[in-house]
Amino acid sequence: MNLRQIWLDEIHQDSRYGVKGEILINHKSKYQEIIIINTKNYGNVLMLDGCWMTSDKEEKYYHECLVHPALISKINPCNILIIGGGDGGTARECLKYNNILNIDLVEIDADVIEISKKYLSQIGQNSWEDKRLKINIVDGFEWVKNCKDDYYDIILVDCSDAKEHATGLFSLGFYQECKRILKSDGIFATQSESPESFKEIHLKILNLINNVFNISSTLYGCVPIYPSGLWSWTFASKDINKFLIEKYENIKSIEESCDIWNLNYQSGGFKMMPNKILKELSK
Ligand code: SPD
């Protein structure tokens, strides 16, 4: 069947970020509008409620940067929580590690998972069949509130932007709950929006995390389909710095498996905070 080519844009603060392609599905779930568009440059691209989420061809810029700075330093068997992550990319990167015992993937919208399995199968790959991955269709904030203390080694927040059902995942209460359920030597990581196109929420996230956790640091990188392209991920731990240690056990095999992330990318990325953000944070 020949589908019609159209332009589809994320409209953000009077700017348009668009791709040209054919709409494969436009579905209204209980929570949001889910669109998959097939494009020449990016393959299949997922849009939720008008915002670009991920695509076949550039998703690794995002998923590798959320996962590896947190997991590379973890030598012990790991119990992981992923909040969001319904496309399967974050779980796929986690499952590269041999020491993963369990991953609880907590996604509010079952339809995102079903649509991703069908249209973004390159992203989730065979993670969906891995017995270590447990899918829970629940609100992420509710999940952490009901979880016992000191339970997870790693918490990865792979959520949408800070609006509608995702708002709670950027709040003080949420970060406090994450700290409570994280083991004493655990690592917390979240996508922390763009210092350019989402500057206010970016500053809010960094300030809140810095107040809640004893140690935190932000990695800057790029995600080509997001507004402005510039993006960030913030990592935190309860006491000594657990995510920027000098000795990594798994580094060679993980670097070889990655398209974007490596130790140089990480070392540079953690030093790339734009000066205007640095100035605002030190006010
Ligand atoms: N502006 C889009 C932010 C979305 C971050 N999450 C993307 C999900 C990819 N797994």
Side-chain angles (χ1 to χ4, degrees), residues 7-256:
W7 278 97
L8 187 63
D9 298 320
E10 172 170 348
I11 297 174
H12 181 71
Q13 294 171 343
D14 295 336
S15 298
R16 295 160 68 145
Y17 302 89
V19 297
K20 191 165 97 172
E22 296 159 347
I23 303 287
L24 301 182
I25 181 168
N26 183 345
H27 168 76
K28 261 244 172 295
S29 77
K30 188 171 157 200
Y31 297 98
Q32 56 208 336
E33 180 188 58
I34 306 173
I35 295 178
I36 299 278
I37 182 166
N38 177 256
T39 69
K40 197 168 153 205
N41 287 341
Y42 295 118
N44 287 356
V45 193
L46 170 66
M47 175 180 257
L48 297 181
D49 272 349
C51 299
W52 297 121
M53 288 294 130
T54 196
S55 75
D56 284 340
K57 297 281 165 62
E58 51 74 79
E59 51 94 9
K60 291 181 178 174
Y61 280 99
Y62 176 94
H63 294 119
E64 291 181 3
C65 285
L66 174 63
V67 172
H68 299 304
L71 264 72
I72 197 72
S73 56
K74 271 288 182 193
I75 302 152
N76 302 332
C78 260
N79 184 25
I80 299 184
L81 171 64
I82 299 175
I83 307 259
D87 52 67
T90 295
R92 180 202 67 218
E93 289 303 309
C94 291
L95 288 165
K96 288 176 174 176
Y97 293 80
N98 298 327
N99 60 339
I100 306 305
L101 294 178
N102 175 68
I103 301 175
D104 287 323
L105 188 151
V106 176
E107 165 63 59
I108 196 169
D109 193 343
D111 294 359
V112 170
I113 296 183
E114 288 321 307
I115 288 173
S116 298
K117 282 181 180 173
K118 181 165 179 195
Y119 294 98
L120 301 171
S121 56
Q122 286 185 39
I123 297 184
Q125 296 176 7
N126 51 5
S127 349
W128 301 118
E129 283 83 56
D130 195 303
K131 296 248 176 321
R132 294 170 292 174
L133 180 64
K134 318 281 175 355
I135 310 296
N136 306 277
I137 305 301
V138 191
D139 175 78
F141 203 169
E142 286 306 310
W143 181 273
V144 298
K145 277 187 208 157
N146 293 318
C147 179
K148 44 187 176 197
D149 294 359
D150 302 316
Y151 189 67
Y152 290 108
D153 296 282
I154 307 270
I155 300 176
L156 302 169
V157 185
D158 179 8
C159 58
S160 313
D161 297 320
K163 54 182 188 180
E164 313 291 337
H165 55 268
T167 317
L169 304 180
F170 296 85
S171 66
L172 175 66
F174 174 71
Y175 296 131
Q176 286 169 331
E177 289 293 339
C178 287
K179 184 181 180 190
R180 178 184 64 74
I181 68 174
L182 196 62
K183 288 186 187 164
S184 58
D185 62 349
I187 300 169
F188 170 85
T190 183
Q191 73 93 354
S192 44
E193 303 284 324
S194 171
E196 176 55 30
S197 51
F198 290 84
K199 183 172 160 227
E200 293 314 312
I201 185 69
H202 175 69
L203 286 167
K204 180 184 164 194
I205 298 166
L206 270 53
N207 273 321
L208 287 177
I209 292 179
N210 187 44
N211 289 338
V212 170
F213 290 88
N214 294 343
I215 305 283
S216 67
S217 192
T218 300
L219 170 74
Y220 291 89
C222 114
V223 182
I225 59 164
Y226 290 172
S228 84
L230 184 55
W231 213 254
S232 75
W233 300 264
T234 296
F235 299 80
S237 57
K238 287 188 183 182
D239 44 34
I240 57 166
N241 195 336
K242 291 286 178 190
F243 49 89
L244 285 173
I245 59 172
E246 308 232 317
K247 192 168 176 299
Y248 298 99
E249 297 287 316
N250 300 308
I251 189 75
K252 274 286 154 250
S253 66
I254 295 299
E255 276 190 342
E256 272 160 28

